[in-house]
């Protein structure tokens, strides 16, 4: 009887988004007409309002290079490297992955990966940074707010190294 009373008091305190949320990201890597094209390295993370890193989502680089040699160019993701990269050992389990070809790319992340269900209410940004060897670098921020009040979508657009970036968070 006492256990039922405790559950009855606890359940209303759980918000609907605290049970988990799926985060889906679509981003475009433009086809560039340049003499020497290398696939871009791409980092994605969630950023708090104070611009600190809330969660690393993905770091895409040449993970198959011998002796972890692909990490040499990861430092060109300058913003991610300053905020989180230099403090982690690559490959980062569940975060590191292979580079992507030009075109539209899609990635999705569950609450276990993002920790989004544990973040306090407030303003956040999905940040995606791309850098190419012998190429440019670009950073795009897509703002969103927690707690979720239903499915939330947002988008932004890069100018050269990234095209359209969209975000959908589903409770």
């Amino acid at each position: 009887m006492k256990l039922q009373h405790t559950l009855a008091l606890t359940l209303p305190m759980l918000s609907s988004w605290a049970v988990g949320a799926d985060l889906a990201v679509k981003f475009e890597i433009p086809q560039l007409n340049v003499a020497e094209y290398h696939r871009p390295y791409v980092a994605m993370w969630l950023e708090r309002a104070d611009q600190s890193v809330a969660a690393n989502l993905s770091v895409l680089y040449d993970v198959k290079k011998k002796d972890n040699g692909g990490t040499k160019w990861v430092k060109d993701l300058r913003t991610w490297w300053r905020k989180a990269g230099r403090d982690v050992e690559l490959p980062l389990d569940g975060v590191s992955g292979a580079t992507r070809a030009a075109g539209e790319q899609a990635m999705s992340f569950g609450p276990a990966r993002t920790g989004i269900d544990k973040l306090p209410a407030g303003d956040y940004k999905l940040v995606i940074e791309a850098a190419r060897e012998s190429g440019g670098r670009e950073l795009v921020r897509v703002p969103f707010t927690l707690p979720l009040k239903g499915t939330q979508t947002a988008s932004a657009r890069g100018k050269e190294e990234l095209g359209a970036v969209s975000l959908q968070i589903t409770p």
Side-chain angles (χ1 to χ4, degrees):
M1 188 62 130
K2 189 174 183 179
L3 178 62
Q4 289 175 346
H5 181 69
T6 303
L7 284 174
L9 291 174
T10 305
L11 288 175
M13 291 192 280
L14 297 173
S15 65
S16 61
W17 67 277
V19 294
D22 291 319
L23 188 144
V25 178
K26 287 184 181 176
F27 61 100
E28 181 184 7
I29 298 174
Q31 180 67 49
L32 301 175
N33 189 15
V34 293
E36 187 178 348
Y37 181 80
H38 298 275
R39 290 181 175 188
Y41 284 15
V42 177
M44 269 188 268
W45 68 95
L46 299 180
E47 186 176 82
R48 295 180 187 95
D50 67 357
Q51 297 188 345
S52 64
V53 175
N56 282 309
L57 299 179
S58 180
V59 181
L60 307 178
Y61 65 97
D62 191 352
V63 292
K64 290 187 175 180
K65 226 170 194 173
K66 189 177 178 183
D67 297 327
N68 210 13
T71 59
K72 176 181 178 183
W73 303 104
V74 172
K75 295 174 186 171
D76 286 354
L77 298 163
R78 287 185 242 150
T79 303
W80 176 77
W81 182 256
R82 265 192 338 264
K83 291 177 181 263
R86 61 183 165 200
D87 297 329
V88 298
E89 185 174 332
L90 295 172
L92 195 55
D93 189 31
V95 174
S96 295
T99 58
R100 301 289 175 101
E104 187 174 295
Q105 304 295 328
M107 299 182 79
S108 60
F109 309 94
R113 176 89 163 268
T114 63
I116 202 166
D117 55 333
K118 295 175 180 70
L119 295 174
D123 294 327
Y124 294 88
K125 292 178 182 151
L126 164 77
V127 185
I128 180 168
E129 181 177 23
R132 275 186 311 113
E133 181 183 344
S134 305
R137 183 185 76 86
E138 187 165 29
L139 186 108
V140 174
R141 287 185 163 92
V142 183
F144 64 95
T145 304
L146 296 176
L148 296 174
K149 297 173 184 161
T151 299
Q152 193 171 146
T153 59
S155 62
R157 186 166 192 81
K159 294 180 180 173
E160 192 165 315
E161 299 296 329
L162 291 167
V165 177
S166 64
L167 162 73
Q168 180 175 7
I169 308 173
T170 308

